[in-house]
Every structure is written in C-alpha cells, then in structure tokens.
Amino acid sequence: MEADRWIAFRSYFGIESFYCRPGIEGAHEKGGVEGMIGYFRRNHFVPVPEVSSLAELNEMVEQWDRQDDARRIGSRPKTVAEYYALEQPLLMPLPDEPFETGRLFTPRVDRYGQVPVRTTRHSVPVRLIGKRVRVVLHAPHLVVYDQNVEVARHERLIAKGAVRLDSDHYLEVLVRKPGAFPAPPPLNRPAPQAGSPRSMTSGGTRPARSTASATAPGS
C-alpha cells in the first residue's frame, strides 16, 4: 500500500512506480542504489561532520555532489557527469512549480505569541494570539502563514522542548501597551544630598517631619 504523500509526489512528477520482488528473488534488484548510498555515507559522513546548522550541512552535501561528478564508477570509461549528460535529453522536463515537500500543521497561537510544532515552539507576531495559523515544516526551516501571507520564518529546532523567539514579533505590544515591558534600570548618577531640591522630587531623602505638637498662644 502506497503512502498518500508518495502518491502525490510521483503523480506530480509523472513517475511510474514499480517495486522489487520480495525475498531472495528480488534481493539483487536494488543493490546498486543502496551501494551508492553506503559509498556516500562512508566517504562523507564517517566521522560525522560537525556543523552549526542544517543549512551549512546542506551546502557541504551539495559540494560533495559536485565533486562526485568527476568520479568514475569501477572501470567504466566515463565519469558520473558524462553519463548523466547522455541520459538528460531522455528525461522528462521538470514541472515549472516546485513540489511542496513540507509537512502541514494548523496550530493555534497561544497567549505568549507562540505556536507548537511537534515538540518545539516558535514565535509569531502577537496580533495573531488566539488565531489558528498554517505552518509548513521543512527539513531545515519552517514557515508560518496567516491565510496566504507569510508572517514568520524560523530555522528548524531539533531538541525536544526548544523555543525560538524573534523579538520583532513582540514590538506590536509596545504600540498598544507602551508600558507592557519593564523600564530599563536607571543610569548611574551621583546620589543627591539630603535636603537639596532634587532630593525632594527625585526620590531622595526627605527631611523628617517634626513630631513636636504646636503650642497654642497664651498657654
């Protein structure tokens, strides 16, 4: 039974699917594909590369692919790129629009201006609090839409419970509620002298009130 996303993918690109025979009879039918995957893994992912982001890793993979164009498989007379140049005219043209590979979610924005996506949370503009939005999750990033308008884009988080916030999403709070955020700490200024005019208006020490009772005239 084929998965729905696979049916959509092959239908979009006009792929006719066929499958290897199960068991020993079909064990030899896909060895070439799996062998090349193993070759790529052993030569480029052992040891595991250290990167700061998925975008950096994807760039490295693309560079390895370009280098692989000059490789010859076994004793074959032509390189990988030369064989592809021979096959390319026989291939069907790609569609004009790219196929949407992202996974769709429709979460509701919580009171903190965040949307849950699997086990992570990401900020959106606070005007969307309480609304349901559309999130398209890709391998390196995710995009949040309000109707058909993109309102947020974040690099994808991997760690469970991780949160990614964009401070710009919370600036709208200051327009509606100027005092929504605490004021910055006061500058370091010299303390005023007791009894000075400034001390009376700037939080300085006020002179103590007299506690003596007034004496009536003639008493």
Side-chain angles (χ1 to χ4, degrees):
M1 181 177 176
E2 295 182 331
D4 293 340
R5 292 294 292 167
W6 165 242
I7 295 175
F9 179 83
R10 67 176 181 80
S11 300
Y12 185 83
F13 288 103
I15 298 173
E16 181 180 351
S17 59
F18 65 94
Y19 301 93
C20 300
R21 291 173 293 177
I24 298 178
E25 295 181 355
H28 66 284
E29 294 183 349
K30 59 178 181 178
V33 174
E34 292 186 352
M36 288 297 100
I37 294 175
Y39 171 88
F40 197 90
R41 178 184 62 81
R42 291 188 301 272
N43 284 270
H44 301 299
F45 286 91
V46 179
V48 177
E50 296 183 3
V51 295
S52 58
S53 65
L54 286 174
E56 181 181 352
L57 179 61
N58 288 334
E59 178 60 32
M60 294 172 64
V61 171
E62 291 182 4
Q63 182 179 354
W64 294 331
D65 281 339
R66 291 191 292 267
Q67 295 173 355
D68 202 51
D69 285 342
R71 184 171 63 89
R72 283 183 169 83
I73 300 177
S75 58
R76 297 183 182 184
K78 299 182 182 297
T79 64
V80 172
E82 290 171 340
Y83 277 114
Y84 176 71
L86 296 175
E87 293 183 0
Q88 188 174 15
L90 306 176
L91 301 176
M92 295 177 58
L94 295 175
D96 295 332
E97 297 294 331
F99 178 75
E100 180 56 75
T101 59
R103 184 170 181 179
L104 179 64
F105 298 87
T106 55
R108 189 179 299 276
V109 182
D110 65 14
R111 61 177 180 171
Y112 303 107
Q114 301 171 17
V115 290
V117 182
R118 288 189 169 177
T119 61
T120 61
R121 308 185 73 84
H122 300 76
S123 68
V124 298
V126 293
R127 68 177 182 275
L128 301 175
I129 289 177
K131 294 187 62 175
R132 193 171 293 277
V133 295
R134 183 164 54 94
V135 178
V136 181
L137 179 64
H138 299 271
H141 66 276
L142 62 86
V143 186
V144 184
Y145 296 92
D146 178 25
Q147 301 295 330
N148 293 323
V149 179
E150 179 180 327
V151 293
R153 181 182 292 261
H154 294 281
E155 184 178 355
R156 183 172 178 176
L157 296 171
I158 303 300
K160 184 177 181 180
V163 179
R164 187 177 297 280
L165 304 178
D166 186 342
S167 59
D168 289 345
H169 293 158
Y170 297 92
L171 293 179
E172 297 176 3
V173 176
L174 297 178
V175 176
R176 294 183 295 177
K177 297 181 179 180
F181 294 114
L187 299 176
N188 293 328
R189 296 176 178 174
Q193 298 295 323
S196 67
R198 181 182 169 194
S199 68
M200 301 294 292
T201 59
S202 303
T205 303
R206 294 177 178 270
R209 293 183 178 180
S210 175
T211 57
S213 59
T215 304
S219 58

